[in-house]
């Protein structure tokens, strides 16, 4: 009982089940994030309307303080999230002695 070479190394193809639902949810999530951020926009930042929000080199660093709609943008949101979570982890590591590395293992 010799089997063909291709069938010996490749298993039978499984039929996909319910592929449409996760694909539709993924497409819906992608479309939901691509909606215009300013469609229902009436947020006011702490520096909205100030002189520093019109100074070009500085405003590129502080756009979320001038116009909070930029918090929706991953370019501004990721560094802010990284700083917040990084500082929380650092503070927890300093406050809880069990998270400190063991001196004997160094």
């Amino acid at each position: 009982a010799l089997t063909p070479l291709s069938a010996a190394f490749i298993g039978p193809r499984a039929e996909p089940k319910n592929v449409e639902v996760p694909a539709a949810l993924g497409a819906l999530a992608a479309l939901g994030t691509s909606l215009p951020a300013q469609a229902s926009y009436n947020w006011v930042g702490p520096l909205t309307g100030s002189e520093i929000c019109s100074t070009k080199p500085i405003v590129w660093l502080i756009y979320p303080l001038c116009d909070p709609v930029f918090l929706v943008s991953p370019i501004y949101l990721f560094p802010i999230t990284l700083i917040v979570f990084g500082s929380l982890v650092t503070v927890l590591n300093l406050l809880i002695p069990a998270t400190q590395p063991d001196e004997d293992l160094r």
Side-chain angles (χ1 to χ4, degrees):
L2 294 173
T3 59
L5 193 57
S6 64
F9 295 105
I10 300 174
R13 186 175 291 214
E15 292 296 320
K17 298 176 184 175
N18 294 333
V19 178
E20 296 83 18
V21 175
L25 289 176
L28 185 63
L31 288 175
T33 59
S34 67
L35 291 175
Q38 296 181 354
S40 62
Y41 174 75
N42 57 358
W43 301 334
V44 177
L47 296 178
T48 302
S50 65
E51 182 65 29
I52 199 164
C53 289
S54 61
T55 308
K56 279 301 174 192
I58 295 172
V59 79
W60 294 329
L61 298 173
I62 61 167
Y63 257 139
L65 295 174
C66 295
D67 198 1
V69 75
F70 286 103
L71 288 176
V72 179
S73 171
I75 295 172
Y76 290 101
L77 184 59
F78 178 74
I80 292 170
T81 308
L82 184 68
I83 290 169
V84 167
F85 283 117
S87 60
L88 286 174
V89 167
T90 303
V91 167
L92 284 177
N93 282 336
L94 293 174
L95 292 178
I96 301 173
T99 61
Q100 297 295 322
D102 193 8
E103 292 292 328
D104 297 334
L105 297 177
R106 285 187 180 193

